[in-house]
Amino acid sequence: MPMEIPSDKKATEYLANERTFLAWIRTCIAVISLGFVIARFGVWLRELATQITPKTEVQSTSFSLFVGVAMMALGSALTLLAAWRYHAINRAIDRGEFQADRGLVITVTTSVALLGAAMIAYLLLTANRM
């Protein structure tokens, strides 16, 4: 059920919406950066292993690359979602009403939790190989 926003509170609502958008952008940058680090970490580990013992064959699983790229894609998608949400909230403020979007929260939470679970599973499955 939409809530009516008093006209004297609209400026506060616009500024709060902008702060929320900027928080989303900071989160997106962090997710993209972490994805990049994860994607490059597997390559770095293989290079380190060949430098320590050059004659040892190093098994390559591209799972860290997959998870890293997935996190970078998620961060990029969240950036677009944040911009869409920012504009949707601004339109709602202009109309003088606001309604929470729980579906967005559930979608983002589920996506991040699934990527985290995939990383945990990967680490547990490959822990004995390192």
Side-chain angles (χ1 to χ4, degrees), residues 34-70:
L34 182 59
F36 181 80
V37 169
I38 290 170
R40 300 301 298 162
F41 188 68
V43 173
W44 178 79
L45 281 179
R46 285 190 299 278
E47 288 177 7
L48 182 65
T50 57
Q51 286 180 358
I52 292 173
T53 53
K55 296 178 183 176
T56 304
E57 185 178 321
V58 179
Q59 283 186 315
S60 173
T61 65
S62 57
F63 191 73
S64 63
L65 178 64
F66 170 76
V67 171
V69 169

Side-chain angles (χ1 to χ4, degrees), residues 6 10 14 25 42 44-45 48-49 68 91 114 121:
K10 284 188 179 183
Y14 284 121
I25 295 301
W44 178 79
L45 281 179
L48 182 65
R91 285 190 300 274
L114 288 174

Side-chain angles (χ1 to χ4, degrees), residues 82-93:
W84 172 80
R85 181 71 178 151
Y86 171 78
H87 290 294
I89 296 299
N90 268 357
R91 285 190 300 274
I93 293 169

